[in-house]
Amino acid sequence: MTVAFALPVAAQQQGNVVQKTDPLYQKVAELDSAMFSAYNKRNLEGLMNFFSPDLEFYDDRSGLTDYAHNQAAFKKNFTDPVHSSRRELVKSSLEVYRLGSFGALAIGVHKFYGTFNGKEELEATAKFTEVWENKNGKWQVKREMSYDHR
């Protein structure tokens, strides 16, 4: 009985995901790549342009933070002379869902690598969920969740 119930639900969930060939999927993948290119290059201004001023960022380690808190944290991270961080998307993990005319929901897995004295190593793997808002053609993350850090 449980299997019979789960199959229609699974099929329905697969039907809601935006296909990789859809322009919305391609747009969100492009935004993700550009946002974390700025992160990896330590470009604070470029990175912060991807976040809405009313950002809510939920993290399983630090709880809820806002735009100003994240800007300060990124600035501190980017100016650290000993440690640098790099983010890499697990490409096969990215799922995109349409949010009507509002924007899109992106779900995936990413890895963060830290470099200490020239040696890079994996620091964390985590899941993420982002609510992207499309306001007059300007896409920004309005809500971000990062969780299940390992």
Side-chain angles (χ1 to χ4, degrees):
M1 185 89 157
T2 303
V3 173
F5 177 74
L7 288 175
V9 172
Q12 181 182 6
Q13 288 174 343
Q14 288 175 350
N16 292 333
V17 68
V18 174
Q19 298 302 308
K20 292 181 180 181
T21 55
D22 188 292
L24 179 62
Y25 182 96
Q26 293 172 7
K27 180 66 176 178
V28 171
E30 175 187 304
L31 289 163
D32 180 89
S33 178
M35 178 168 61
F36 283 100
S37 175
Y39 177 87
N40 292 340
K41 292 176 182 173
R42 297 177 161 202
N43 177 350
L44 182 61
E45 183 179 342
L47 176 63
M48 295 313 295
N49 283 331
F50 286 98
F51 295 107
S52 172
D54 66 345
L55 172 71
E56 289 181 3
F57 192 110
Y58 300 88
D59 185 283
D60 60 358
R61 300 163 302 176
S62 57
L64 173 62
T65 55
D66 62 9
Y67 181 95
H69 174 87
N70 283 280
Q71 184 176 35
F74 288 133
K75 182 177 183 180
K76 181 179 179 187
N77 181 8
F78 292 172
T79 57
D80 186 329
V82 177
H83 172 262
S84 65
S85 181
R86 179 178 69 82
R87 184 263 195 179
E88 184 178 289
L89 172 68
V90 176
K91 289 195 187 287
S92 63
S93 73
L94 184 63
E95 295 179 5
V96 175
Y97 297 84
R98 195 173 312 280
L99 295 177
S101 63
F102 179 83
L105 179 72
I107 300 171
V109 176
H110 49 194
K111 296 181 177 193
F112 289 90
Y113 296 87
T115 300
F116 295 94
N117 300 322
K119 184 178 178 191
E120 183 179 74
E121 56 188 56
L122 179 65
E123 290 184 319
T125 299
K127 295 176 183 173
F128 69 90
T129 301
E130 299 164 335
V131 175
W132 284 91
E133 179 181 25
N134 179 6
K135 191 181 265 186
N136 300 318
K138 183 172 183 176
W139 288 83
Q140 290 184 310
V141 174
K142 193 165 184 71
R143 304 293 177 259
E144 171 89 23
M145 287 145 271
S146 187
Y147 50 95
D148 196 26
H149 286 83
R150 297 169 193 239

